[in-house]
Amino acid sequence: MKLQRKNRRALALGALAVSGALALTACGSDDTGTNGGGDSSASAGASNIKCDDAQGQLLADGSSAQKNAIDAWVKQFTAACKGVQINYKGGGSGAGVTAFTQGQVAFAGSDSALDEEEITASKKICSSGQGIDLPMVGGPIAVGYNIPGVENLVLDAPTLAKIFNDKIKNWNDEAIAKLNPEAKLPDLKIQAFHRSDESGTTDNFTKYLIATAKSEWPYEGGKAWEAKGGQSAAGSSGVAQQVKQTSGAISYMELSYAKDGINSVQIDTGAAAPVEATTANASKMIAAAKRVGTGKDMALELDYATKTDGAYPITLVTYEIVCDKGNKSETLPGTKAFLRYMASEDGQKILEENDYAPMPEEIISEVRTTIDGLS
């Protein structure tokens, strides 16, 4: 299956205002935002959106990975709920979690579930409750590259680890050539880019390397990049732009950013054939995830070392983080209405249209129930 190279709409997920209203304008460290207020052209699924008592402005912040999805959701939601504005600042997962635990936003987006320290911090904000993780967006982390004359490239975990750990420095290296016997690999320096900001995408990418190539990737992992060498850029759009304009470049980014001159690596997992970064292959990976969250928390554990045919291993799940109890009364109606739409059948369909993977039904149905019970 070949990756589609079509233009995708820019989306944002990030800043929900505590000031009591809802406004979704895509802004933040990745790209300039757009005001989603009431575009009448976004009517496809708008008739099924329940606005309830939502009105005013909502601030949110967090994952830039789901930026393109959020933007599409905002367009539909604000077309139906014209009294609402949503401002999502896609400043990255780390920024989103910090904003949430400091009470600056109504909800946050993160590509990594809350850890124990973050849950403890959330209890100071969530009166009588705590922050919980709601899996809402899935998708492959594409390894995008720009090598003149090479449109198909296969890499495995040890080789990727050596590239991003500055151990393999040239594209015609023997290890790469062995995986690509038919490719005409140039004598070209590798330009590896990583995220400069704290990022759930970095966390998930390095979890894959830790699970599958620990000897070549001797780091602990986390939202901050730890390896030496390479170059950095802010946000998913930032690394994508660097790959697009730099001959010999490679980086990791959500599939919706791997376009316009950026090809994506096929991953040799040990399955029958190398696996491409597609939404269907990411969904196959997510469907096998284990739930590790307790109570209303729905944190998932992915098997990054999978060898299942057609399961793309470098996959992330973006969580919407919200209080289970103790949400601010002025933002609760808008938060519930918007999250309810995101988790709806119409909302999840939008994901596929923008190169994201919808949540499996058994997961998203529980998410819907949890949203209804937020207080």
Side-chain angles (χ1 to χ4, degrees), residues 156-162 208-218:
D156 58 13
T159 307
L160 273 171
K162 290 176 183 177
Y208 163 72
L209 296 178
I210 291 168
T212 55
K214 183 60 178 175
S215 61
E216 289 82 10
W217 194 259

Side-chain angles (χ1 to χ4, degrees), residues 232-287:
S232 65
S236 297
S237 62
V239 293
Q241 181 62 29
Q242 290 299 323
V243 172
K244 182 179 178 180
Q245 67 187 21
T246 306
S247 179
I250 185 171
S251 189
Y252 54 92
M253 64 200 74
E254 292 70 41
L255 181 60
S256 62
Y257 292 92
K259 59 182 181 179
D260 298 337
I262 301 176
N263 293 313
S264 296
V265 170
Q266 298 175 49
I267 304 298
D268 183 347
T269 64
V275 187
E276 294 189 40
T278 68
T279 57
N281 291 344
S283 290
K284 193 167 186 177
M285 169 77 164
I286 295 170

Side-chain angles (χ1 to χ4, degrees), residues 334-355:
T335 299
K336 289 181 70 172
F338 186 54
L339 292 177
R340 185 183 294 120
Y341 167 60
M342 293 162 67
S344 70
E345 184 176 346
D346 287 337
Q348 290 290 296
K349 282 180 181 178
I350 282 180
L351 293 177
E352 288 185 289
E353 298 169 5
N354 292 275
D355 292 321

Side-chain angles (χ1 to χ4, degrees), residues 277-333:
T278 68
T279 57
N281 291 344
S283 290
K284 193 167 186 177
M285 169 77 164
I286 295 170
K290 296 180 181 178
R291 178 174 174 179
V292 293
T294 59
K296 293 183 179 180
D297 186 81
M298 294 186 63
L300 303 174
E301 182 178 84
L302 299 172
D303 179 13
Y304 296 97
T306 181
K307 294 183 180 180
T308 301
D309 288 346
Y312 186 76
I314 320 177
T315 292
L316 61 74
V317 170
T318 298
Y319 301 94
E320 312 314 326
I321 297 171
V322 67
C323 296
D324 58 351
K325 298 178 182 178
N327 290 281
K328 291 181 172 59
S329 59
E330 62 268 28
T331 57
L332 179 59

Side-chain angles (χ1 to χ4, degrees), residues 171-223:
W171 280 114
N172 63 352
D173 187 274
E174 182 179 352
I176 301 175
K178 186 176 180 179
L179 291 165
N180 300 272
E182 298 180 4
K184 294 181 180 180
L185 298 169
D187 182 6
L188 179 66
K189 182 181 177 181
I190 294 173
Q191 306 280 354
F193 287 88
H194 57 266
R195 291 280 291 272
S196 60
D197 52 322
E198 289 201 356
S199 162
T201 311
T202 294
D203 190 18
N204 283 274
F205 179 65
T206 55
K207 279 179 179 177
Y208 163 72
L209 296 178
I210 291 168
T212 55
K214 183 60 178 175
S215 61
E216 289 82 10
W217 194 259
Y219 304 104
E220 294 181 1
K223 294 187 182 75

